[in-house]
Amino acid sequence: MTVTWPELRRPQHPPVPARLPVWGPADRDVLWLYLLTRTSLWVTAYCARWLFPRTPDAHTADSVFAPFQQWDWTHYLHIARDGYFPGRAGPWLSNWDNREAFFPGFPLLLRAVHNVVPHWTAAGLLISFAAGAVAVVALARIARLHLPDTHAGRRTVLFFLLSPCAIFLAAGYTEALFLALALPAWLAARRGNWPLAATLTALATAVRVSGLFLAVAVAVQFVVTVGPQHTFRHWRALLWQALPAVPAVLYSWYLHAHTGDWMAWKHAEERGWDRAFHAPWEAWSHTWSGAFDGTQATGYAFMFQAELAAMLAGFLLLALLLRQRRWPEAVYIGLNLWALGTSYWYVSVPRATLLWWPLWIALAAWSLRRPRFTTLYLCLAAPLTTVFALTYLTGRWTG
C-alpha cells in the first residue's frame, strides 16, 4: 500500500486496542536487521583497533573493548564503580569531572550487571545490546500504528539503525536503555495503559532527564485521548501522570544532601559542557561561528556543522508534527529542541536525534511514498555513519 501524507495527518486520538500484539514474523525480521547492523559495527570496531592505533608505531592492537572505553563511558564507569562523590570529592574540587550531570539509571544497572559480567565494558555493551533489541521492536510497532504499509516497521528501523549517530546505540551509553523504556512507554500510552506508561516513563527519567519531556508528552496524550472535558473524571489515571517526576526529585534530593544544591546536575552541565541558558538565537549564532568562522580546529568545526544540521532537522520535524496536529509528539520534540537549543552552543544534538522516534517514522513514510528517497537516504547516511563511527571508535570524537 502506498502511504500518503493525508493518511499520516489524520489525528488518531482514541487509543489503539489495549491487547499487546502477539510476537510475530515482523518482530523477528526487525531483530534480524538489528543483529546484522550490530555485526557491522563490531567489525568496524575490530578494524579500527588495527588501522588506527593509539600510537603510530604500535605493533599490537588495543583490547577488543578499547574502542568503547572513552568519552562519556568513563563517566558512567566511574559512577558505577566509585559512586558520585568518592572519598568526599565533589564539585568543590578544581579538577572535578562533573559526573553528577549524568542521571543514575544507567550506572545503577551497570553495577548490577557487573555482578554477573565481571568486565565493566562488556557489561555496558551487553546492556546496550539487549536494550537496543527491545527499542527497535517497540519502534517498529509504533511505526505500524501510524503507517499502513506492511514494510513500515522494517523501513523505520532501517533508517534508525543506519543514522549517523547509530554507533551510540552499540556503545555503553544511555541512548539504547532510554529508548528501551521510552518507546514501550509510548506504546502503553497509545493503548491507554496509563499505569504502565507512567512506570516506564519514570524508569526512563532515571536514565536521562529527557524522560521528563516524555512524561509531558504522555500527559498530553492522556488529555487528547480522554478529552479535555473528561480529564478529571479519570482522576486515578491522572494521578499516574505525576509518577515520572519521582526519580528526578529523588536524584535532586540525593545531590542536595551531598552538595547543598538542588540543581547540582544542571550546574554540572553548565560547568562541564557550557549548557548555561542562552537565548536560542545566541546559541545558533555561537554554533554557526564555531562551524564556519575558522575559530575552531577542523574536527570541531565539522561537528558544529553537524550540530546545526541536526537542529535544523529538528525544526523541520516539529513543523511537520504541528501541521499534522500530532500534539503529544510535537510537545516532546519541542521540549527537546528547547533544552538543546538554549545553551551557549549546541552540544550532542546529532546524538539526540536517536531519541526522536517521530523523525524516523516520518522518513519511513516519505520513503514509502517516494521509493527513490530510500536510495537517497542510504547514499547520504552511509558515509556519515561510517565517519561518525570511526571518529568515536578511534577516540577522535569531538561532539
Side-chain angles (χ1 to χ4, degrees):
M1 172 182 276
T2 301
V3 179
T4 63
W5 285 111
E7 288 175 311
L8 288 173
R9 285 196 296 268
R10 187 183 303 126
Q12 298 180 7
H13 298 330
V16 295
R19 185 174 64 86
L20 291 174
V22 178
W23 181 267
D27 297 319
R28 291 193 293 271
D29 190 37
V30 165
L31 284 179
W32 178 243
L33 177 61
Y34 176 71
L35 182 59
L36 289 177
T37 57
R38 296 315 87 188
T39 302
S40 176
L41 284 174
W42 295 331
V43 170
T44 303
Y46 174 84
C47 295
R49 296 165 49 228
W50 292 91
L51 297 175
F52 304 99
R54 302 290 178 180
T55 57
D57 58 347
H59 291 272
T60 58
D62 290 333
S63 163
V64 66
F65 296 111
F68 300 99
Q69 294 172 329
Q70 51 203 348
W71 305 114
D72 286 358
W73 161 252
T74 60
H75 292 287
Y76 299 123
L77 173 62
H78 294 160
I79 296 168
R81 188 183 60 197
D82 308 321
Y84 278 98
F85 306 103
R88 299 184 179 179
W92 44 87
L93 300 179
S94 59
N95 60 345
W96 182 239
D97 61 4
N98 300 303
R99 65 182 66 183
E100 65 270 28
F102 300 89
F103 273 45
F106 183 83
L108 285 172
L109 182 58
L110 177 60
R111 188 173 185 86
V113 175
H114 172 67
N115 292 326
V116 180
V117 181
H119 195 286
W120 284 104
T121 309
L125 295 178
L126 179 61
I127 292 171
S128 291
F129 177 74
V134 174
V136 295
V137 171
L139 177 61
R141 291 184 176 186
I142 293 173
R144 290 197 290 270
L145 293 179
H146 292 278
L147 307 175
D149 195 286
T150 56
H151 301 292
R154 189 177 189 279
R155 184 69 57 84
T156 302
V157 170
L158 175 67
F159 283 13
F160 172 66
L161 292 176
L162 295 183
S163 61
C165 283
I167 180 62
F168 295 104
L169 296 170
Y173 276 48
T174 58
E175 278 77 5
L177 181 59
F178 177 82
L179 289 170
L181 297 166
L183 295 179
W186 188 247
L187 271 176
R190 287 296 310 277
R191 299 178 191 286
N193 190 338
W194 306 114
L196 179 59
T199 301
L200 291 173
T201 302
L203 293 173
T205 303
V207 175
R208 294 177 66 100
V209 70
S210 309
L212 293 177
F213 307 152
L214 176 65
V216 178
V218 170
V220 174
Q221 178 68 25
F222 172 77
V223 173
V224 167
T225 300
V226 304
Q229 68 276 20
H230 302 301
T231 296
F232 290 99
R233 293 184 184 178
H234 300 76
W235 62 270
R236 288 187 181 136
L238 184 61
L239 290 177
W240 279 102
Q241 307 305 315
L243 182 63
V246 173
V249 172
L250 290 177
Y251 184 49
S252 294
W253 173 81
Y254 168 81
L255 294 178
H256 179 266
H258 287 80
T259 67
D261 182 2
W262 286 101
M263 295 295 291
W265 64 270
K266 182 65 172 66
H267 296 148
E269 287 190 342
E270 294 173 0
R271 289 191 306 269
W273 292 272
D274 291 321
R275 281 184 162 165
F277 178 82
H278 285 74
W281 51 90
E282 292 178 348
W284 177 275
S285 176
H286 294 156
T287 310
W288 184 276
S289 296
F292 299 111
D293 285 359
T295 58
Q296 302 289 329
T298 56
Y300 282 96
F302 173 77
M303 291 311 304
F304 280 128
Q305 293 171 28
E307 301 281 354
L308 291 168
M311 184 61 74
L312 182 59
F315 290 147
L316 294 174
L317 175 62
L318 178 60
L320 177 63
L321 292 172
L322 291 173
R323 181 170 178 247
Q324 295 175 353
R325 298 183 181 180
R326 309 203 73 87
W327 310 124
E329 294 96 325
V331 166
Y332 175 73
I333 297 300
L335 290 173
N336 272 274
L337 293 177
W338 178 259
L340 293 165
T342 53
S343 57
Y344 180 80
W345 47 28
Y346 300 154
V347 179
S348 300
V349 182
R351 276 175 55 190
T353 62
L354 294 172
L355 312 182
W356 301 349
W357 75 86
L359 172 63
W360 312 112
I361 296 174
L363 291 175
W366 200 351
S367 74
L368 291 169
R369 184 184 179 188
R370 300 180 181 276
R372 290 183 180 178
F373 178 78
T374 303
T375 304
L376 174 63
Y377 177 86
L378 295 178
C379 288
L380 292 177
L384 289 175
T385 302
T386 303
V387 168
F388 276 54
L390 285 176
T391 53
Y392 173 79
L393 293 170
T394 58
R396 293 171 172 83
W397 184 260
T398 56

